[in-house]
């Protein structure tokens, strides 16, 4: 199964089972929005992408960082010793979410893959922003390949059925009947269905969106 389950962009429902209904519980503080910037992936992002993909038990193959759209947060941390400019902060950039777009047919068919958000940043809409950025990338590629010629162009993906609502909010629709699934995805769907049933107790669906 190729790496694109998008499991990491959803809020962990276990947090809803806290004792917030107890009179003695204090209301939780809203999380401040992360300081993010979105950019094309770089070779040095490879380790972070590979680790998050493995953590999500997703396919670790075909992860060329330069095909990815990456969201990174600028993190700050104190120096480790007094000799390291005591009192000053050094900054490092953290990859917190990413996704990639594969061109299956020049300018007409694209596949969205490997959508992951780091657990600490889930539930903030970052995954949706990654998807929107990849859709815009597909549109630019469509215009470059086809010019002013009107051609049907779509972005497709495979995912497990319980992720359907996330993608439907972004304008994707299920490919039905299964016989209309693009030929480039048929083997993936067959293999992915077995893996999804064993690993997640779920079924595979194919979604598409015109761009």
């Amino acid at each position: 199964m190729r790496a694109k389950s998008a499991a990491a962009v959803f809020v962990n429902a276990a947090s809803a089972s806290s004792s917030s209904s107890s009179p003695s519980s204090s209301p939780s503080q809203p999380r401040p929005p992360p300081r993010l910037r979105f950019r094309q992936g770089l070779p040095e992002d490879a380790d972070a992408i590979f680790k998050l993909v493995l953590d999500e038990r997703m396919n670790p193959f075909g992860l060329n960082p330069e095909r990815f759209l990456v969201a990174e947060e600028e993190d700050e941390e104190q120096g480790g010793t007094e000799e390291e400019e005591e009192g000053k902060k050094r900054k490092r950039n953290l990859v917190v979410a990413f996704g990639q777009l594969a061109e299956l047919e020049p300018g007409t068919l694209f596949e969205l893959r490997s959508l992951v958000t780091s657990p600490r940043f889930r539930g903030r809409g970052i995954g949706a922003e990654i998807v929107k950025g990849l859709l815009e990338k597909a549109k630019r590629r469509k215009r470059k390949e086809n010019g002013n010629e009107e051609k049907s162009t779509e972005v497709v993906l495979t995912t497990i059925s319980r992720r359907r609502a996330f993608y439907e909010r972004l304008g994707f629709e299920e490919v039905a009947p299964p016989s209309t699934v693009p030929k480039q995805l048929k083997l993936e769907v067959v293999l992915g269905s077995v893996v999804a049933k064993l690993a997640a107790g779920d079924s595979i669906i194919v979604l598409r969106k015109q761009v």
Side-chain angles (χ1 to χ4, degrees), residues 39-49 63-67 70:
R39 58 168 175 79
Q40 180 180 336
L42 301 170
E44 51 264 38
D45 299 322
D47 289 345
I49 290 173
L63 302 179
N64 180 354
E66 296 182 17
R67 292 202 318 198
V70 168

Side-chain angles (χ1 to χ4, degrees), residues 22-43:
S22 171
S24 61
S25 300
S26 59
S28 60
Q29 296 298 320
R31 291 173 293 182
R35 303 183 302 277
L36 297 178
R37 73 182 183 105
F38 295 81
R39 58 168 175 79
Q40 180 180 336
L42 301 170

Side-chain angles (χ1 to χ4, degrees), residues 153-171:
T153 300
E154 64 182 13
V155 176
V156 296
L157 63 94
T158 62
T159 187
I160 52 179
S161 62
R162 64 173 175 264
R163 308 305 178 200
R164 182 198 310 268
F166 169 77
Y167 287 106
E168 286 182 341
R169 289 195 295 271
L170 294 167

